[in-house]
């Protein structure tokens, strides 16, 4: 049975301008419905199986996953992943993850899979409806840091961040780990939710880095990834 995903969109299927919070809520909600609300690192194969059939704003979307082969851009340069639609395959999106590069990097495999899933959910319904070819390639090895990221990439990244480390789940784990490290947590209200907060000038960045390392192992991502989410969620500052 296809899992329903809904967000504000135009008649074409293109999303309206979505806030970061709206994208994060959708990512966290979909993570819970697909994989359950636990911090344990999910197995990519489990995601591939559960996210194979979606209905996005009423439009059916079949996702075919491949993580066994190399992936390149149009110039032949290796990339981490690609999300694409072929007009010859109606209502079907192909997500290919670079097996050669990611096989021994489970953290990067998870983040790339979630990023490409974001493209499938937000960017592909309109392409499928039009019968238009479209492809989004992520992580060109040579130029990823130098290339400007457009709003579609930003949206996929925000979705990925919340999918891998939902805000409420990360906040609870952060409070637990910070207490274990003896850090002085303060609490503040964000969106009417009591939220733990750690001031870097009080706890010190070395303590925050240690906490991020523990959380990275728990969530199955990198410490750098956790550091970004802690700042974006307002848990450290």
């Amino acid at each position: 049975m296809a899992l329903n995903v809904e967000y504000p969109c135009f008649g074409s299927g293109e999303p309206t301008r979505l806030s970061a919070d709206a994208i994060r809520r959708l990512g966290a909600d979909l993570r819970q419905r697909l994989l359950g609300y636990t911090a344990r690192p999910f197995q990519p194969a489990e995601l591939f199986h559960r996210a194979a059939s979606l209905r996005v704003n009423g439009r059916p979307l079949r996702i075919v996953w491949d993580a066994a082969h190399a992936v390149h851009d149009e110039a032949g340069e290796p990339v981490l992943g690609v999300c694409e639609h072929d007009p010859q395959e109606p209502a079907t999106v192909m997500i290919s993850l670079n097996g050669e590069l990611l096989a021994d990097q489970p953290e990067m495999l998870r983040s790339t899979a979630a990023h490409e899933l974001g493209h499938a959910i937000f960017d592909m319904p309109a392409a499928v409806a039009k019968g238009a070819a479209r492809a989004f390639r992520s992580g060109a090895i040579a130029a990823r840091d130098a290339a400007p990221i457009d709003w579609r990439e930003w949206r996929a990244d925000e979705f990925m961040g919340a999918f891998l480390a939902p805000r409420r789940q990360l906040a609870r784990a952060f409070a637990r780990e910070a207490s274990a490290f003896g850090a002085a947590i303060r609490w503040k209200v964000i969106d009417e939710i009591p939220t733990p907060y750690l001031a870097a000038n009080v706890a010190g960045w070395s303590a925050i880095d240690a906490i991020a390392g523990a959380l990275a192992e728990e969530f199955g991502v990198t410490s750098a990834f956790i550091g970004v989410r802690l700042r974006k969620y307002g848990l450290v500052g």
Side-chain angles (χ1 to χ4, degrees):
M1 181 179 296
L3 190 66
N4 289 315
V5 179
E6 295 184 355
Y7 54 81
C9 70
F10 298 106
S12 64
E14 291 283 351
T16 61
R17 187 180 295 274
L18 300 172
S19 68
D21 283 343
I23 295 167
R24 292 168 189 170
R25 286 194 296 269
L26 190 148
D29 175 70
L30 189 58
R31 162 66 184 263
Q32 180 178 2
R33 290 193 288 151
L34 284 173
L35 301 168
Y37 198 64
T38 64
R40 66 175 176 81
F42 63 83
Q43 294 301 317
E46 184 180 6
L47 174 63
F48 303 161
H49 172 70
R50 294 179 181 270
S53 181
L54 303 175
R55 182 173 290 273
V56 181
N57 291 327
R59 292 178 167 89
L61 199 68
R62 174 173 173 258
I63 301 179
V64 178
W65 297 82
D66 176 20
H69 302 93
V71 183
H72 301 86
D73 63 16
E74 294 177 342
E77 296 296 325
V79 293
L80 298 177
V82 60
C83 176
E84 55 193 335
H85 169 63
D86 184 341
Q88 301 303 314
E89 297 288 341
T92 299
V93 169
M94 289 74 71
I95 294 180
S96 302
L97 309 174
N98 197 323
E100 288 190 359
L101 292 175
L102 300 174
D104 297 324
Q105 300 185 71
E107 297 88 355
M108 289 296 296
L109 179 59
R110 290 187 190 93
S111 62
T112 304
H115 179 95
E116 300 304 341
L117 180 60
H119 279 308
I121 290 171
F122 291 117
D123 300 309
M124 289 302 172
V128 169
K130 294 176 184 176
R134 181 173 288 185
F136 293 91
R137 293 173 174 83
S138 298
I141 302 306
R144 180 173 175 85
D145 292 336
I149 298 177
D150 65 24
W151 66 274
R152 289 183 173 88
E153 294 300 326
W154 169 82
R155 187 170 55 200
D157 273 342
E158 286 298 334
F159 172 87
M160 175 265 290
F163 189 89
L164 295 179
R167 177 176 171 177
R168 292 190 182 186
Q169 186 178 0
L170 182 59
R172 291 193 188 102
F174 175 70
R176 186 192 66 239
E177 291 296 335
S179 295
F181 275 88
I185 296 176
R186 296 184 356 221
W187 292 84
K188 59 182 180 179
V189 176
I190 300 179
D191 296 334
E192 301 182 353
I193 300 170
T195 303
Y197 173 76
L198 202 56
N201 63 345
V202 175
W205 283 111
S206 60
I208 291 176
D209 288 344
I211 294 168
L215 293 172
E217 184 174 352
E218 182 173 347
F219 283 81
V221 295
T222 65
S223 295
F225 173 93
I226 291 293
V228 170
R229 300 324 299 175
L230 293 178
R231 291 190 294 274
K232 287 195 174 224
Y233 292 160
L235 304 181
V236 300

